[in-house]
Amino acid sequence: MASSQYKGVVAQPNGRWGAQIYEKNHRVWLGTFTEQVDAAKAYDIAAQRFRGGDAVINFSPLTDTAEMVFLNSHSKPEIVDMLQKHTYDDEFQQNQRAMTSHLTNPSSFLNGRPIDHQPPVQLLMFEKVLTPSDVGKLNRLVIPKQYAEKHFLLKPLLSAGDNTAPASSSKGTLLNMKDSSGKAWRFRYSYRYSSQSYVLTKGWSRFVKDKNLNAGDAVGFYQSGTGLDRKLYIDWKTGNFQGAEITRNGDDQYFPYPYPLLPDVPIPNRPVQVMRLFGVNIFKTTN
């Protein structure tokens, strides 16, 4: 097997090239590439995010201030995820277009100075109370079908070379969201034919751990804008909340409107009775 002349690049049995970096003696896989130059560039990007100015890289260090800001504004796992999916360049360019659009918009300036805008109105799409399987080892969140097909458009993909039978699950798409603190999250959204369900997978388990979510807690999904300007948001609250009547449908529990999760929105103060059935908390409001 051929060896590579580039740091952080290893040959693969199929003739492609892999990129990897070590963090605290643990290997971090950065993806597989057709050309070893592309693998070397991926290593350089990761090295500069992981090690900053001390990074030993293959090519010249980044000199574009905008790209350095973009690189350092994302966590290490987020940068690794972009490199593995080969979306780093696209996401950087998308970020630049968004910044350019903001800076060149005359309404963004007052006497030559940028002015602050009110944040976009975030409208509730739907909420869900988390089940044990949503926060368990399956590392996925089931999106109720009626909400998935209404708010998250997805065309399931067919398996390679098969024009009749669907694959066990679609490759799906990436959904970019922000939480109420402004932190960015990226989830893999797909349809699983085996269970006939819409799910959030990659990125979900990290969200669960970050927010310390448990069965009985709730997550809410919001949007602002429409079309190309549409932005998605996610928020959460713990299971000791008040004010929501919950209906059950199999393993899933849902909040009806209008009980938004975002902060500073009043929620009716009505007492809640909690009953545990088959290991799941069932909440019922009383008058």
Side-chain angles (χ1 to χ4, degrees):
M1 186 182 300
S3 60
S4 175
Q5 60 180 311
Y6 296 107
K7 183 175 180 60
V9 178
V10 292
Q12 301 296 291
N14 60 2
R16 291 164 64 84
W17 300 89
Q20 62 184 20
I21 191 170
Y22 282 84
E23 172 81 344
K24 297 180 180 178
N25 297 321
H26 292 285
R27 187 182 73 156
V28 179
W29 187 250
L30 304 174
T32 306
F33 303 83
T34 302
E35 303 294 335
Q36 59 175 318
V37 171
D38 293 331
K41 291 179 180 178
Y43 170 83
D44 285 3
I45 290 170
Q48 290 174 94
R49 177 60 185 87
F50 278 60
R51 296 166 187 156
D54 296 330
V56 177
I57 57 179
N58 296 292
F59 305 108
S60 300
L62 293 176
T63 56
D64 186 341
T65 303
E67 185 169 0
M68 287 300 300
V69 171
F70 172 81
L71 187 66
N72 292 315
S73 66
H74 289 77
S75 68
K76 294 176 183 178
E78 288 172 336
I79 295 299
V80 169
D81 188 56
M82 294 180 200
L83 294 174
Q84 290 176 343
K85 292 183 172 65
H86 298 190
T87 63
Y88 175 84
D89 289 338
D90 290 340
E91 296 207 28
F92 171 62
Q93 293 302 326
Q94 183 178 350
N95 175 268
Q96 287 301 100
R97 286 193 295 269
M99 293 295 294
T100 301
S101 175
H102 173 75
L103 292 175
T104 58
N105 185 352
S107 64
S108 300
F109 287 81
L110 179 65
N111 297 327
R113 289 185 173 183
I115 60 175
D116 294 330
H117 290 279
Q118 293 295 323
V121 176
Q122 299 164 348
L123 301 177
L124 175 68
M125 295 186 293
F126 66 94
E127 298 172 317
K128 182 184 180 184
V129 175
L130 301 176
T131 66
S133 61
D134 286 331
V135 295
K137 295 181 180 180
L138 296 178
N139 296 325
R140 62 92 179 102
L141 170 69
V142 174
I143 302 296
K145 180 179 179 181
Q146 66 269 36
Y147 300 134
E149 295 182 348
K150 179 179 180 181
H151 299 292
F152 300 146
L153 297 179
L154 178 69
K155 294 182 178 180
L157 305 178
L158 297 178
S159 57
D162 186 350
N163 295 322
T164 58
S168 59
S169 66
S170 73
K171 293 182 180 179
T173 187
L174 293 177
L175 295 180
N176 296 304
M177 303 183 187
K178 286 188 177 181
D179 64 24
S180 56
S181 68
K183 184 174 181 177
W185 296 92
R186 301 170 71 249
F187 304 104
R188 172 71 64 178
Y189 171 60
S190 60
Y191 180 80
R192 289 183 173 174
Y193 288 95
S194 58
S195 57
Q196 297 185 350
S197 59
Y198 295 88
V199 293
L200 293 185
T201 52
K202 191 174 184 65
W204 172 247
S205 60
R206 189 160 60 89
F207 184 82
V208 169
K209 293 177 182 178
D210 187 87
K211 309 306 179 186
N212 193 27
L213 297 177
N214 297 287
D217 295 343
V219 289
F221 294 89
Y222 301 78
Q223 71 173 7
S224 67
T226 58
L228 296 177
D229 294 327
R230 183 188 188 218
K231 292 181 174 58
L232 299 176
Y233 305 87
I234 185 171
D235 208 353
W236 76 100
K237 66 170 22 174
T238 56
N240 59 352
F241 50 84
Q242 293 183 344
E245 294 185 14
I246 300 172
T247 59
R248 268 186 76 77
N249 179 9
D251 187 43
D252 297 318
Q253 303 175 67
Y254 313 112
F255 282 105
Y257 292 86
Y259 295 104
L261 299 176
L262 289 176
D264 303 323
V265 178
I267 294 178
N269 186 17
R270 294 153 57 189
V272 177
Q273 293 180 349
V274 181
M275 178 174 65
R276 193 162 184 84
L277 181 64
F278 302 119
V280 178
N281 289 334
I282 300 176
F283 302 83
K284 181 180 180 181
T285 59
T286 59
N287 295 324

